[in-house]
Amino acid sequence: MIPSLPVTEPLPVFPYHPDPVGTGAIIQSDAECSCCSRARGYIYTGPVYAVENLSGRLCPWCIADGSAAERFEALFTDVLDDIPVDRLFAITQRTPGFSGWQQERWLVHCGDGAAFLGTVGAAELTDHPEAWASLREELGHGPWSLSQAEQYLKALTKSGQPTAYLFRCRACGSHLAYSDAT
Ligand SMILES: [Zn+2]
Ligand SMILES: [Zn+2]
């Protein structure tokens, strides 16, 4: 009989952050979680707003079930828009956040938080014309001329700066994005 290898538990499902490994918010790690005191193979690397410094010290399971948020009075992101409180808590307390260059914004559409898909650059945004249009529209309200705004949009890069943060509405499916300059 072949001895069974240690099996990593399947990662929890995060409706508002469907691919946290792809976005880099959760990485493979043998670090121990400060909440459940177990090394479960994955650790959360994104922002933790709490009194205690919990950066890189929480596992995805303790985020998903709300135990980390409850125990440490922690939040993982900030949502400024007005959405129903159960949805707000699902995003701020039970969803891995992401690191932005400036204060992160969780985009809202159709009355609910959108699903965060990760950073994107100009190349990726060409696949999502409505996200591109929303960025251009936001930039249009700023101090820049049209040609400056176009230049900025073309300079967006997935893994450097400036970058854009891509979301997909969970209700209507449309893509939306913001960047640190908008
Ligand atoms: Zn844990
Ligand atoms: Zn929508």
Side-chain angles (χ1 to χ4, degrees):
M1 204 181 133
I2 304 162
S4 55
L5 293 164
V7 177
T8 313
E9 303 157 79
L11 281 169
V13 173
F14 296 104
Y16 293 96
H17 196 152
D19 183 17
V21 175
T23 67
I26 287 170
I27 58 163
Q28 281 192 301
S29 165
D30 53 14
E32 187 180 289
C33 171
S34 294
C35 189
C36 62
S37 303
R38 292 169 61 194
R40 298 167 81 168
Y42 287 91
I43 210 84
Y44 168 59
T45 66
V48 185
Y49 303 104
V51 175
E52 204 171 322
N53 178 14
L54 296 161
S55 183
R57 290 176 46 200
L58 295 173
C59 78
W61 293 273
C62 289
I63 293 174
D65 68 11
S67 57
E70 189 178 349
R71 176 159 172 190
F72 300 106
E73 293 183 33
L75 299 175
F76 307 111
T77 193
D78 202 10
V79 180
L80 302 173
D81 301 79
D82 202 9
I83 55 170
V85 74
D86 58 327
R87 296 173 179 185
L88 179 73
F89 288 164
I91 298 166
T92 58
Q93 301 180 6
R94 294 194 302 276
T95 298
F98 62 95
S99 301
W101 184 45
Q102 296 172 353
Q103 172 73 50
E104 311 80 47
R105 285 158 56 190
W106 207 279
L107 296 185
V108 163
H109 207 257
C110 296
D112 193 3
F116 176 64
L117 302 183
T119 57
V120 285
E124 294 77 21
L125 277 167
T126 56
D127 294 337
H128 306 296
E130 74 269 35
W132 183 272
S134 69
L135 277 171
R136 184 186 283 132
E137 154 133 32
E138 267 203 81
L139 284 170
H141 298 304
W144 292 354
S145 71
L146 202 62
S147 66
Q148 282 173 318
E150 287 300 321
Q151 247 177 354
Y152 175 84
L153 287 172
K154 284 188 186 128
L156 289 170
T157 158
K158 182 175 169 63
S159 49
Q161 282 295 336
T163 192
Y165 306 91
L166 183 69
F167 293 76
R168 187 182 56 236
C169 176
R170 301 178 62 236
C172 75
S174 65
H175 286 83
L176 31 153
Y178 81 92
S179 87
D180 289 314
T182 57

